[in-house]
Amino acid sequence: MADGLICTSLKSPNTETGLAEMAEAAEHADLIELRLDYMDRPDLPRLLSARPRPVIATCRPVREMGRYRGPESERIALLEQADHLGAEFIDIELDSASQFRRRGRARLIVSYHDFESTPADLDGIHARLVRAGADIPKLVTFAHSITDNCSLFHLLERVQQPTIGLCMGEFGQISRILAARFGSFLTFASFRAGEECAPGQIAAPILRALYRVHRIRSDTDIYGVVGNPVSHSLSPHLHNAAFEAAGLNKVYVPFLVGDVVEFLRSFRAFGLRGCSITIPHKEAALEGVDEVEPLARQIGAINTIVERGGRFTGHNTDCAAAVDAIEAALRRPGHASDSPLRGKRVVIVGAGGAGRAIAFGVRQRGGDILIANRSRYRADRLASDLRCKAITLRTLLKQGFEADVLVNASSAGMYPNVEETPVPRKFLRPPTLVFDAVYNPLRTRLLREAEETGCPTVSGLAMFIRQAAAQFELWTGHAAPRDLMEGIVRKKLEKRATDARE
Ligand code: NAP
């Protein structure tokens, strides 16, 4: 049961840079791939004698999306020289393998690339690579959907011989993280972000620090966030750190998914133990699970799936997270028995997924709700499900309102529209408690103006951490490390705000 090996691909332009980059890459890499096709007149004796890690020598021709344009005989001779000088691995393309003559003890990686798709006959291709003399067959294909990864995972699980299997492209990124989980001999990483040798490659420091790829094994449990888009999600940072802190053999990845029901059907067989569901799949995911927890069924949306005994159950942790964050701010010492929301006038702006979850939670606690939404249709639909009053946001602001609690559950004010606010300052009066579900930025314009007018406030971060902590607890049965989670999200959001200003 080998743990995940990370091989950093270097496309250094010359020998001097190659030597410096090898030394730097060694911090995160178990192996180093020298892409000799990027290098001007590589000095192989110097490079190989200074290698800090085992090396794969590769010289990819243009026809295989490499940079090498010279004669084929010289390309093969360069690889034979690398073998002679002691390189641990030589990578040669399937159509050139028969020309390569072994000159040393390197293990031969015979590689097959499909830059357009993931072909159906992966077994046949694997057999051809073996017949061509591969010690380690390598199949790298292009993923057009998340389920293309499954074809490669399936092959990796079945073959006996050490094999490398990865998918290129944004949909294939998870294969670069989960390679070892399914038995790939290694995963390739870029030296730094922006220096990828293939589409979808992830930088080695991220594979190691964020996903702890070096500790992924065949018994590592898989979790992730299912969304589209999903690359911006903070959840992998927070959940991987929480798994690490609890010493759990689990990894959490971003699943870029087009069809959530198909995704759940496919990944059931590949060790998916749970996931977070985000925009735009919270409603459609109901169709992909075996059971739905009753409140989530009423809300009509799930943000969490838990696998137990091969069955998926859908939950909604947004609801309790928001209500708990509001109650914590309303509660006075010594009045802990009933919900402080009981009988309170609660104006909820927004009737999307978050609005629905918050409204159902507030109603459960006895709050008196008014839904105010930009579009009439959605406001009416939610109000009819809840049997409460609804109004358009425009009318609300025209006629004014009185509220004990004002909730923004709309996207107004969310990054990048940070100067937007759903409710202008003139409507904000103490002692109204103002809660903004938006957490990026941490301090929205609504919260800033509410604070300036003396209103108590609750930020979307309080809800975000609570919903994530509840997910962690459902998945693991352990208490969530909330302070750690909050610290990570705060740091990430503050960095994003600084980067956006620069
Ligand atoms: P959603 O289902 O897409 O709904 C978006 C809602 O915002 C709709 O009611 C929409 O009104 C309204 N809206 C959009 N732009 C608006 C604008 N400029 N002015 C006024 N209303 C506007 O999204 P969602 O899942 O409910 O998420 C809404 C917000 O909550 C997002 O910012 C999200 O990040 C946040 N959220 C936070 C947490 C947390 O843990 N803190 C959890 C979930 C969501 P129409 O119906 O008229 O389009």
Side-chain angles (χ1 to χ4, degrees):
M1 209 157 40
D3 296 0
L5 294 176
I6 298 174
C7 177
T8 300
S9 299
L10 294 183
K11 42 186 198 180
S12 323
N14 54 49
T15 301
E16 292 309 324
T17 313
L19 290 166
E21 290 186 343
M22 273 201 297
E24 201 181 327
E27 188 187 342
H28 300 288
D30 301 297
L31 297 94
I32 289 170
E33 182 186 41
L34 285 176
R35 283 288 302 262
L36 301 172
D37 49 308
Y38 281 87
M39 208 178 274
D40 183 28
R41 280 169 290 145
D43 184 341
L44 276 180
R46 274 185 75 204
L47 285 162
L48 288 171
S49 61
R51 67 189 185 279
R53 294 277 180 270
V55 154
I56 301 177
T58 303
C59 187
R60 203 67 81 216
V62 170
R63 65 172 190 283
E64 288 271 324
M65 302 290 173
R67 290 288 177 90
Y68 183 83
R69 294 177 183 279
E72 184 71 353
S73 57
E74 286 179 23
R75 188 176 77 87
I76 303 289
L78 189 65
L79 294 173
E80 288 174 354
Q81 186 195 5
D83 184 15
H84 177 66
L85 290 169
E88 284 76 5
F89 303 89
I90 303 293
D91 181 317
I92 188 128
E93 306 69 31
L94 176 59
D95 60 0
S96 308
S98 63
Q99 296 165 50
F100 181 81
R101 298 283 165 263
R102 296 196 186 233
R103 304 268 308 276
R105 295 217 298 267
R107 292 168 79 186
L108 197 60
I109 299 172
V110 181
S111 56
Y112 169 89
H113 296 94
D114 186 329
F115 295 95
E116 284 171 8
S117 65
T118 298
D121 184 24
L122 293 176
D123 286 274
I125 295 164
H126 188 266
R128 280 168 59 205
L129 295 168
V130 174
R131 279 200 303 278
D135 297 312
I136 303 170
K138 171 178 162 191
L139 296 88
V140 182
T141 65
F142 196 92
H144 288 284
S145 80
I146 192 87
T147 47
D148 278 343
N149 294 280
C150 297
S151 310
L152 262 152
F153 294 161
H154 195 49
L155 175 86
L156 288 169
E157 284 192 325
R158 272 175 299 127
V159 294
Q160 299 298 319
Q161 190 168 353
T163 295
I164 300 168
L166 296 168
C167 281
M168 290 181 280
E170 212 184 340
F171 284 106
Q173 272 200 331
I174 57 151
S175 71
R176 299 184 179 277
I177 304 166
L178 298 177
R181 171 63 174 72
F182 298 100
S184 181
F185 179 69
L186 56 75
T187 186
F188 286 99
S190 65
F191 178 43
R192 296 191 193 98
E195 296 193 14
E196 297 76 22
C197 286
Q201 243 180 23
I202 301 171
I206 293 177
L207 282 183
R208 192 171 282 272
L210 173 56
Y211 297 110
R212 296 163 296 132
V213 160
H214 53 293
R215 288 202 226 130
I216 294 181
R217 308 177 311 213
S218 59
D219 60 351
T220 300
D221 291 335
I222 301 174
Y223 296 81
V225 53
V226 178
N228 190 359
V230 80
S231 58
H232 66 287
S233 174
L234 294 170
S235 298
H237 296 275
L238 160 163
H239 282 298
N240 281 316
F243 289 156
E244 162 95 349
L248 297 169
N249 180 17
K250 298 179 186 295
V251 63
Y252 185 102
V253 302
F255 290 114
L256 176 66
V257 168
D259 180 336
V260 65
V261 175
E262 190 195 349
F263 164 79
L264 290 169
R265 191 174 329 112
S266 308
F267 273 75
R268 208 182 264 269
F270 286 104
L272 181 71
R273 301 301 310 278
C275 53
S276 316
I277 307 284
T278 188
I279 293 172
H281 298 310
K282 287 186 181 181
E283 289 166 32
L286 285 166
E287 299 303 316
V289 296
D290 304 296
E291 285 159 52
V292 180
E293 171 248 347
L295 183 60
R297 170 75 67 198
Q298 278 184 41
I299 295 166
I302 56 176
N303 75 328
T304 310
I305 293 177
V306 180
E307 184 271 351
R308 270 202 196 101
R311 292 178 68 74
F312 285 151
T313 305
H315 298 254
N316 191 311
T317 66
D318 282 339
C319 174
V323 169
D324 189 54
I326 297 169
E327 284 183 335
L330 285 175
R331 191 162 272 132
R332 306 229 185 300
H335 292 76
S337 57
D338 198 10
S339 169
L341 273 165
R342 182 161 305 283
K344 293 280 191 313
R345 295 160 304 173
V346 182
V347 173
I348 300 178
V349 178
R356 286 188 75 83
I358 296 170
F360 271 90
V362 170
R363 191 193 61 173
Q364 225 189 19
R365 305 300 168 105
D368 175 15
I369 301 171
L370 173 64
I371 304 289
N373 194 47
R374 186 175 59 178
S375 69
R376 176 94 229 179
Y377 162 74
R378 250 173 155 181
D380 285 347
R381 202 177 56 159
L382 177 54
S384 121
D385 290 348
L386 278 170
R387 276 178 251 109
C388 70
K389 289 168 277 176
I391 191 171
T392 63
L393 181 55
R394 183 194 287 255
T395 310
L396 180 87
L397 299 182
K398 206 160 132 199
Q399 67 188 35
F401 63 94
E402 297 285 330
D404 299 306
V405 181
L406 171 67
V407 173
N408 177 39
S410 82
S411 314
M414 186 169 79
Y415 180 82
N417 304 316
V418 294
E419 277 313 310
E420 216 182 351
T421 184
V423 179
R425 180 198 292 259
K426 66 178 179 187
F427 296 103
L428 308 174
R429 280 184 302 274
T432 301
L433 175 79
V434 179
F435 166 52
D436 199 340
V438 173
Y439 58 88
N440 186 12
L442 280 170
R443 199 159 169 254
T444 59
R445 178 171 167 191
L446 176 68
L447 290 185
R448 198 174 65 233
E449 294 184 346
E451 280 165 19
E452 284 164 6
T453 54
C455 294
T457 60
V458 180
S459 81
L461 182 67
M463 173 180 172
F464 185 69
I465 296 304
R466 282 171 167 83
Q467 63 78 33
Q471 295 183 324
F472 180 89
E473 287 166 9
L474 280 167
W475 293 329
T476 67
H478 292 240
R482 291 179 186 229
D483 291 346
L484 172 81
M485 290 168 133
E486 181 168 339
I488 287 168
V489 177
R490 255 185 207 290
K491 214 161 124 193
K492 287 272 158 207
L493 288 171
E494 279 161 7
K495 177 157 185 338
R496 281 186 191 176
T498 314
D499 291 350
R501 277 195 297 273
E502 279 166 4

